[in-house]
Each structure stands twice: as structure tokens, then as C-alpha cells.
Amino acid sequence: LKIKNMAIIKKFRITTFKKEINKITLKKISLSYNKRQILDDVSFNIREGEICGLLGPNGVGKSTIFNIIVGLIKPNYGDVYINQKIVTDLPIYKRATDFGLSIVPQTGGVFSNMTCIENLKAISEVVINKKEERNFKIEKIISKFELDAVKNTKAKHLSGGQRKKVSIAMSLMSDPKIILMDEPFQGLDIMSTRDLQETIVNLQTEDNSRCCIISDHAARDLLAISDRAIILANKKIIAQGTPSELINNTNAKNFYFGDAFKIS
């Protein structure tokens, strides 16, 4: 599947900003497990309003970076900033409540034995105080994600694409300004992938201050919707830029894409 066939999904790419605002900054992050180094001096910015892809081989540390941003893991060295404020020592719930940080995990993310609407209600009761507001938000999200036909279906009986949609819908109950998605396209067929791509791009167009960071192995599917992407290899960032810039980047070719990779 080529990016040129996906043009209607991503009508524009944010490449420059009148006023560049960094939502997330990692500065000189290093991390080791049992004397094995996972990340070595990793620094990057994620800007307000952009969709940024995170690419790299298996085991390179993409999920680890997500865990560091969320607060599940504290790096051995370096700092994490959200909205230009240092959050390295801030607990998970404070990053969520104070900075609007939400994550869509690679697996799970939904309660299998609960229906779609029960999943949404469970989250809404945590993040929204007023019952009337909760009910309104749930109905609005069900409509937006076109889940009405399956709202009373248990999550374990939903298709992979539907479960991903429910998981993303749950993450939106708190109106997050930063959404991390870990391998959202994993296990999806072509039509479900396209549907999810459109859902993600719509998140950007409906709120131009929201940023999405997405990690996935499906490079073409991810680059089709990314304004910018970062490639990790050998514990470091080896390339970053727009999709067009990356496919012509020597490091990206040598360490990740290979010579045969095309997006047009």
C-alpha cells in the first residue's frame, strides 16, 4: 500500500509553525537495564498540533520511550518536559491530570467482558464528575467513532479494528492534549488500517493544539499520516524529519528502511 493512494487521508502535513510550541521534550535521556544500555543520550521535541511517528527495529526502545514519557519508568539520566515544564519526577496521574496526557496501549486497553458502552462509562466515572456530562460525552464519542451498532457488544467479541477504536475513544474521555499510541495498526487488515488512519487524522483536525505520538512497525501506514517521524536504532536517534526527508536519509536507509523502501 503506497502513500500516494492514501492522499485523501492526510490532506496536509504540518512542517512549519508560525509559533513553534513544544508539547513534549526529551533531553539527553539514557537508560540501562541490568547493565544493558537501552537508550543512549536521546533528545527530541514533539510540537503542539503534530502527528509524530516513532519508528525503529524491534527492541530499540520505542515502548520504553513511551513509558518514560508517561512516567512508568524513570531514566537513569536526562529529563522529560511537558509544556516546557520538567516532569521527570512527576507521578503518572499528575502527568495525566495536569498536562492532559493519555496513552492507547499496544495490547489490552479495554475490559474484555464489558460492552463498548460499559468501557466508556467506566472511564468516564473516573475523569468526569457530573453524570449528565458523562452521558453526553459518551453518546458524542459513540457517534463520532461510529460505534452505535456495537455499543452493547462485549469487547471480546469486537473486531481488532473496533477494539482499537474503543481504546482510543476511552483515551479521549478526558479530552487529552497529548495522545501516545503504541502499535495501533498491529494485526489490522487493510480496511481497518485505513479506517483507523482516518480516525487518527481527525483527532488532529478537530483540535489543532493536540499532538499524537505513534509507534508502529507498519512504516508505510504510519508515515502516511505523520507530519514528522523519528527513527531509533542502536540506542540512539539516527534520523528525524518529514516522511519525504526520511526516505532520502542515508542513516534511515542503512539502519531501518533498506534501499528498496518506497512511499510513492
Side-chain angles (χ1 to χ4, degrees), residues 92-104 119-129 133-134 137-138 141 144-145 166-180 203 206-207 210:
I92 297 169
Y93 79 93
K94 291 289 284 182
R95 299 187 196 198
T97 57
D98 293 3
F99 297 97
L101 180 63
S102 185
I103 187 166
V104 180
N119 270 281
L120 292 172
K121 281 182 177 178
I123 297 300
S124 72
E125 288 171 0
V126 176
V127 299
I128 302 174
N129 292 325
E133 189 180 339
R134 288 200 298 265
K137 188 70 176 288
I138 289 167
I141 282 183
K144 180 167 72 174
F145 282 82
V166 173
S167 185
I168 294 172
M170 290 167 70
S171 77
L172 289 176
M173 292 303 298
S174 59
D175 289 322
K177 291 298 180 183
I178 302 163
I179 303 177
L180 311 180
L203 296 179
E206 72 185 18
D207 184 347
R210 176 184 289 145

Side-chain angles (χ1 to χ4, degrees), residues 161-202:
Q162 289 168 336
R163 279 196 299 275
K164 295 284 187 184
K165 272 190 173 185
V166 173
S167 185
I168 294 172
M170 290 167 70
S171 77
L172 289 176
M173 292 303 298
S174 59
D175 289 322
K177 291 298 180 183
I178 302 163
I179 303 177
L180 311 180
M181 298 187 192
D182 197 1
E183 307 229 8
F185 303 120
Q186 185 183 47
L188 299 188
D189 59 33
I190 292 173
M191 291 301 294
S192 295
T193 295
R194 185 182 180 84
D195 193 25
L196 187 57
Q197 286 173 315
E198 290 174 346
T199 296
I200 293 169
V201 171
N202 287 339

Side-chain angles (χ1 to χ4, degrees), residues 4-211:
K4 65 179 180 180
N5 297 328
M6 294 266 186
I8 64 165
I9 293 175
K10 187 73 175 174
K11 295 183 177 68
F12 63 91
R13 296 189 193 279
I14 299 175
T15 55
T16 60
F17 292 74
K18 289 182 180 178
K19 182 180 180 183
E20 185 170 313
I21 301 173
N22 291 329
K23 293 293 284 184
I24 293 180
T25 298
L26 266 60
K27 284 189 178 180
K28 298 184 177 297
I29 296 292
S30 293
L31 179 73
S32 298
Y33 284 133
N34 298 324
K35 298 183 180 180
R36 183 173 74 91
Q37 191 154 30
I38 308 298
L39 299 171
D40 180 18
D41 197 29
V42 169
S43 299
F44 63 78
N45 295 312
I46 307 294
R47 301 175 298 195
E48 181 178 273
E50 75 176 342
I51 296 175
C52 185
L54 192 59
L55 293 164
N58 275 329
V60 78
K62 300 186 298 296
S63 294
T64 300
I65 284 177
F66 273 18
N67 288 335
I68 287 172
I69 293 172
V70 171
L72 283 167
I73 296 174
K74 185 176 180 180
N76 301 126
Y77 185 82
D79 286 305
V80 180
Y81 295 77
I82 303 178
N83 293 347
Q84 296 92 50
K85 295 179 181 178
I86 192 164
V87 299
T88 313
D89 295 318
L90 212 61
I92 297 169
Y93 79 93
K94 291 289 284 182
R95 299 187 196 198
T97 57
D98 293 3
F99 297 97
L101 180 63
S102 185
I103 187 166
V104 180
Q106 178 181 343
T107 56
V110 297
F111 303 105
S112 299
N113 285 316
M114 292 168 61
T115 65
C116 168
I117 198 165
E118 286 170 345
N119 270 281
L120 292 172
K121 281 182 177 178
I123 297 300
S124 72
E125 288 171 0
V126 176
V127 299
I128 302 174
N129 292 325
K130 295 181 180 179
K131 183 178 179 181
E132 298 79 8
E133 189 180 339
R134 288 200 298 265
N135 292 338
F136 174 78
K137 188 70 176 288
I138 289 167
E139 289 303 319
K140 183 180 177 182
I141 282 183
I142 285 174
S143 174
K144 180 167 72 174
F145 282 82
E146 299 178 347
L147 292 167
D148 195 69
V150 296
K151 69 180 182 180
N152 294 313
T153 302
K154 288 188 176 183
K156 64 184 177 183
H157 298 309
L158 297 175
S159 69
Q162 289 168 336
R163 279 196 299 275
K164 295 284 187 184
K165 272 190 173 185
V166 173
S167 185
I168 294 172
M170 290 167 70
S171 77
L172 289 176
M173 292 303 298
S174 59
D175 289 322
K177 291 298 180 183
I178 302 163
I179 303 177
L180 311 180
M181 298 187 192
D182 197 1
E183 307 229 8
F185 303 120
Q186 185 183 47
L188 299 188
D189 59 33
I190 292 173
M191 291 301 294
S192 295
T193 295
R194 185 182 180 84
D195 193 25
L196 187 57
Q197 286 173 315
E198 290 174 346
T199 296
I200 293 169
V201 171
N202 287 339
L203 296 179
Q204 181 186 43
T205 55
E206 72 185 18
D207 184 347
N208 59 16
S209 68
R210 176 184 289 145
C211 74

